[in-house]
Amino acid sequence: MSTTFPEDVRARLEVDAKEIIGRYPRQRSALLPLLHLVQAEEGYVSAAGIRFCADQLGLTTAEVTAVATFYTMYKRRPTGDYHVGVCTNTLCAVMGGDEIFAALKEHLGVGNDEATEDGRVSVEHIECNAACDFAPVVMVNWEFFDNQTPESARRLVDDLRLGKDVRPTRGPDRLCTWKEASRILAGFGDGRGTEGVQAGGPSLEGLRLARERGWAAPDPAATRTAPAEGDGDEGSAK
Amino acid sequence: MTTLTPVLSANWDRADSFTLEGYRATGGYQALRTALGMAPDTLVDLVKASGLRGRGGAGFPTGMKWGFLPKDNPNPRYLVVNADESEPGTCKDVPLLLANPHVLVEGVIISAYAIRSSQAFIYVRGEVLHVIRRLRHAVEEARAAGLIGTDILGSGFDLDVVVHAGAGAYICGEETALLDSLEGYRGQPRLKPPFPAVAGLYASPTVVNNVESIASVPAIVANGAEWFTAMGTEKSAGFGFFSLSGHVTRPGQYEAPLGITLRELLDMAGGIRAGHRLKFWTPGGSSTPIFTEEHLDTPLDFESVGAAGSMLGTRALQIFDETTCVVRAVGRWIEFYAHESCGKCTPCREGNYWMVQVLDRLEHGQGTEADLDKLLDICDNLLGRSFCALGDGAASPVMSSIKHFRQEYIDHVAQGGCPFDHRKSTVWADRAPAGAQAGEEER
């Protein structure tokens, strides 16, 4: 394994790196996106990736390594094309995340943070991903797959291994690969921001109920003219 | 009776809610025009008068935070939005950003104008790819429409907004760790003072606010401080998301005035899942001491929750029924804190490491009653002695669970194992007809 990128790769990435660095008042702020960028190239942060980041920012490789190893999203060895994260923080674990994680490891014959032999799928248990009202939650390349069961999760990884079309619950129409995802994290869009639903079912529960019962925030006109009164009517909410 | 007050979520049932056109169709960006016609200091006063308190957990008054920026510091000022939503149970900012990113963008522009900043950053956790796409799309749309850039709407005000993706570290939700991370370092908290208002990003005056706080600003500008204080309680004004998750019939987002109770929210959410009863819950994420049935009528505002021995936090109501083993639940949270401890201070780094070991042996029936004293002793060395709130937070579930469920810990010791069947806690436990799991006659 070489500790530097081939010249053509380096030249190509330097163009991207310049753009990233240009977004910030001070160049060191570009380090996290640059690490996402080199991960997009190789699927993980290699010694060559570290070297590249260090060269762009005038840092030592030790300084870059210190940062790269602090953050869990940077991988130090290749993941699968589709990296499956199963939430096993308390809420999801209790709701079935533990069973899902166990089922996937057994089904794929891999341990935590390991990839299948074909390199298609890797599995990792992850921490709370801010979708607790959709528990148990599974992420693939950081896209949401809500309300999973062991059966649905096994089907999901089978489909991923077979190369079938897989759609996140709240995400774009097509799942991108791990490397493509890393490139988005580095700040280069794929033009899919308008795809997918605006909100999943649980996100809309409160609004649906409010509409059904005619509940709303107070009428601003009423609060402006007579701040003290306005309790009894239907729209009031104190 | 308290009723729901959808404001930030009021347009979420439009399929195009996340587009500029959809947002404008429901009045979006009108508050920006109003704001740009006001003096910046008047806006700061307005937000102060509204009583808006930080929605990221700590509840510090937003307007006061803005007012702390020194007037005589020659360095540029920065606005940094904390979109690193990672507190276990907290799931409000992510759906807000998916469905309504423009309300945050409008809030950013108004807030930056108010504090005289021409550079804003939105630090969003990296593990939510589509949220990042949506946010960037909204920022690009706003830029193309002249709402971000130079001389915004002819006001002479310039602003650039950068969406910055994190890389997986809960600690970066702590505002000074977030700033270190945004500067390209390991995300470790800084010693305060100096506070970010004086020496924040690049040692310049900086305001760091949560997504929901900043997103609440346009509505306050549009409708007035009195409108905002007409909701909520005297000291906890306004509305906020209450995120119900776990063993409840209809988990989800319920936008309501502060001061609503869990009993009221559970009524709206169809109650605890059928055939079960409430055992324990968190009022504001895993870092807030757990509550039980006796707190069903505690008003969920900063003061009342505090007086009852917990914290309002992020209004992340994780609901657990009687099938849930509290030792397992707490053990898992502590594994999280141990994993996410940045390692900077000894109480948090070592305390959480050892609590994981002790809780693990307790859960598996290999502990002793003396282990409970050991846990409380470790918590004594964490709470108030760690460098930042992560360590304090870790003590919360341990201390509160021993207070409310001491006997359950002892049962694990006495029985030499966990008395619970974890399968009964799963969402599919009551769903499965027969089959997969042997013998049980659950329906």
Side-chain angles (χ1 to χ4, degrees):
Chain A
M1 192 169 45
S2 165
T3 53
T4 52
F5 285 141
E7 209 33 62
D8 58 322
V9 171
R10 187 185 173 87
R12 175 164 48 79
L13 291 184
E14 264 173 357
V15 176
D16 294 335
K18 248 193 203 80
E19 188 182 329
I20 292 171
I21 293 167
R23 292 179 202 141
Y24 298 93
R26 300 208 186 165
Q27 62 171 14
R28 177 146 182 172
S29 281
L31 182 50
L32 265 62
L34 284 178
L35 285 162
H36 286 305
L37 179 73
V38 296
Q39 181 149 286
E41 186 64 27
E42 297 186 285
Y44 67 109
V45 177
S46 69
I50 299 262
R51 174 91 259 163
F52 177 83
C53 293
D55 288 349
Q56 299 308 304
L57 300 177
L59 300 172
T60 66
T61 52
E63 285 170 318
V64 175
T65 304
V67 173
T69 54
F70 184 83
Y71 297 94
T72 52
M73 287 175 76
Y74 302 128
K75 300 296 172 194
R76 276 179 278 173
R77 51 191 172 141
T79 63
D81 297 331
Y82 298 97
H83 188 62
V84 179
V86 182
C87 178
T88 59
N89 201 299
T90 299
L91 197 281
C92 273
V94 165
M95 303 302 283
D98 276 1
E99 283 78 359
I100 293 172
F101 185 53
L104 287 187
K105 281 191 296 185
E106 199 211 337
H107 187 64
L108 297 170
V110 297
N112 182 42
D113 217 3
E114 287 176 12
T116 52
E117 269 175 29
D118 59 9
R120 292 287 286 173
V121 174
S122 48
V123 186
E124 176 187 32
H125 74 84
I126 59 170
E127 298 299 355
C128 185
N129 223 89
C132 315
D133 44 349
F134 296 88
V137 172
V138 167
M139 307 296 294
V140 181
N141 293 345
W142 307 118
E143 307 280 14
F144 288 109
F145 289 79
D146 301 321
N147 300 114
Q148 293 295 300
T149 64
E151 297 74 45
S152 67
R154 275 192 289 258
R155 210 159 43 230
L156 170 63
V157 296
D158 284 347
D159 287 348
L160 291 171
R161 293 187 81 180
L162 293 169
K164 287 191 190 169
D165 268 353
V166 167
R167 268 178 97 123
T169 325
R170 291 173 293 149
D173 297 341
R174 185 185 67 83
L175 196 60
C176 63
T177 65
W178 173 256
K179 289 181 183 177
E180 287 165 345
S182 299
R183 197 166 161 83
I184 292 166
L185 292 166
F188 299 98
D190 62 355
R192 294 177 172 272
T194 57
E195 293 179 4
V197 294
Q198 83 283 10
S203 306
L204 297 170
E205 285 294 354
L207 182 61
R208 191 186 51 73
L209 189 70
R211 294 242 193 277
E212 207 176 281
R213 307 221 175 142
W215 293 339
D219 175 7
T223 60
R224 223 169 274 144
T225 48
E229 54 117 271
D231 246 328
D233 79 54
E234 259 198 323
S236 133
K238 184 132 177 181
Chain B
M1 189 192 70
T2 316
T3 58
L4 297 174
T5 52
V7 176
L8 303 181
S9 62
N11 67 342
W12 290 10
D13 52 0
R14 288 178 66 108
D16 65 348
S17 64
F18 54 83
T19 65
L20 178 61
E21 202 186 333
Y23 183 61
R24 275 187 160 150
T26 50
Y29 287 108
Q30 283 174 15
L32 175 62
R33 282 182 193 277
T34 308
L36 292 176
M38 295 164 71
D41 289 347
T42 311
L43 277 167
V44 176
D45 289 341
L46 173 68
V47 173
K48 277 184 187 165
S50 75
L52 173 66
R53 293 171 65 173
R55 297 296 193 238
F60 194 82
T62 305
M64 202 186 288
K65 214 175 196 183
W66 294 4
F68 285 156
L69 291 169
K71 301 249 181 273
D72 51 357
N73 191 312
N75 292 332
R77 293 176 166 191
Y78 296 106
L79 173 66
V80 178
V81 176
N82 185 345
D84 192 46
E85 180 168 65
S86 321
E87 166 80 6
T90 307
C91 50
K92 62 187 181 72
D93 296 339
V94 158
L96 171 62
L97 294 173
L98 263 186
N100 196 4
H102 277 287
V103 76
L104 176 70
V105 173
E106 185 177 13
V108 164
I109 306 166
I110 295 173
S111 305
Y113 173 74
I115 64 165
R116 298 181 162 90
S117 163
S118 60
Q119 176 74 64
F121 293 93
I122 302 171
Y123 186 109
V124 54
R125 69 180 298 185
E127 301 101 320
V128 287
L129 206 58
H130 208 49
V131 169
I132 294 166
R133 285 195 193 90
R134 283 270 160 91
L135 249 181
R136 290 214 174 107
H137 180 258
V139 168
E140 280 156 25
E141 273 189 318
R143 200 187 308 274
L147 302 167
I148 292 173
T150 52
D151 192 21
I152 295 167
L153 299 177
S155 64
F157 172 58
D158 303 340
L159 176 69
D160 185 35
V161 179
V162 172
V163 177
H164 181 91
Y170 167 66
I171 188 63
C172 293
E174 198 280 338
E175 63 177 7
T176 60
L178 185 154
L179 294 174
D180 262 29
S181 178
L182 183 51
E183 289 184 5
Y185 295 88
R186 298 163 77 95
Q188 293 190 318
R190 301 174 179 174
L191 191 64
K192 295 191 272 195
F195 289 92
V198 175
L201 186 65
Y202 313 128
S204 289
T206 302
V207 165
V208 186
N209 284 139
N210 170 258
V211 167
E212 196 185 353
S213 313
I214 293 291
S216 298
V217 170
I220 292 170
V221 170
N223 303 322
E226 286 168 339
W227 167 81
F228 195 73
T229 56
M231 291 173 272
T233 68
E234 193 193 335
K235 289 182 176 165
S236 298
F239 54 85
F241 283 105
F242 290 82
S243 312
L244 271 70
S245 63
H247 294 132
V248 16
T249 306
R250 286 187 297 276
Q253 304 301 321
Y254 296 80
E255 203 177 359
L258 303 191
I260 195 170
T261 66
L262 180 62
R263 191 185 299 279
E264 291 172 317
L265 285 163
L266 277 177
D267 269 355
M268 296 174 187
I272 301 293
R273 64 175 178 164
H276 296 276
R277 59 179 194 281
L278 176 63
K279 181 175 177 181
F280 65 95
W281 55 291
T282 64
S286 60
S287 302
T288 62
I290 59 171
F291 273 170
T292 64
E293 262 187 312
E294 63 178 290
H295 305 98
L296 270 170
D297 296 308
T298 302
L300 297 172
D301 57 66
F302 291 105
E303 290 69 34
S304 306
V305 177
S310 188
M311 291 174 284
L312 185 62
T314 49
R315 290 150 278 120
L317 309 166
Q318 305 175 85
I319 314 285
F320 299 95
D321 70 18
E322 85 291 347
T323 64
T324 314
C325 171
V326 78
V327 181
R328 175 192 184 205
V330 172
R332 197 59 64 88
W333 276 322
I334 299 308
E335 280 180 32
F336 165 78
Y337 289 102
H339 182 254
E340 299 297 330
S341 175
C342 75
K344 177 165 182 156
C345 77
T346 311
C348 178
R349 185 186 64 240
E350 300 300 317
N352 280 305
Y353 172 83
W354 286 107
M355 287 208 293
V356 167
Q357 320 301 315
V358 175
L359 282 162
D360 184 65
R361 72 179 180 228
L362 274 168
E363 187 189 345
H364 295 101
Q366 288 141 10
T368 65
E369 232 179 295
D371 281 342
L372 297 184
D373 298 328
K374 174 61 70 189
L375 285 174
L376 292 174
D377 186 42
I378 296 173
C379 286
D380 264 354
N381 284 294
L382 261 179
L383 189 59
R385 290 184 166 89
S386 54
F387 198 84
C388 78
L390 191 150
D392 296 336
S396 291
V398 175
M399 295 173 75
S400 58
S401 64
I402 293 177
K403 178 176 154 203
H404 296 299
F405 297 101
R406 189 178 187 97
Q407 189 56 46
E408 193 167 313
Y409 279 93
I410 294 171
D411 289 347
H412 281 74
V413 175
Q415 296 188 21
C418 181
F420 290 85
D421 179 353
H422 294 175
R423 291 172 305 185
K424 290 187 176 170
S425 301
T426 61
V427 279
W428 51 84
D430 299 345
R431 235 186 253 162
Q437 262 106 59
E440 294 288 338
E441 280 289 298
E442 295 270 3
R443 288 172 25 84

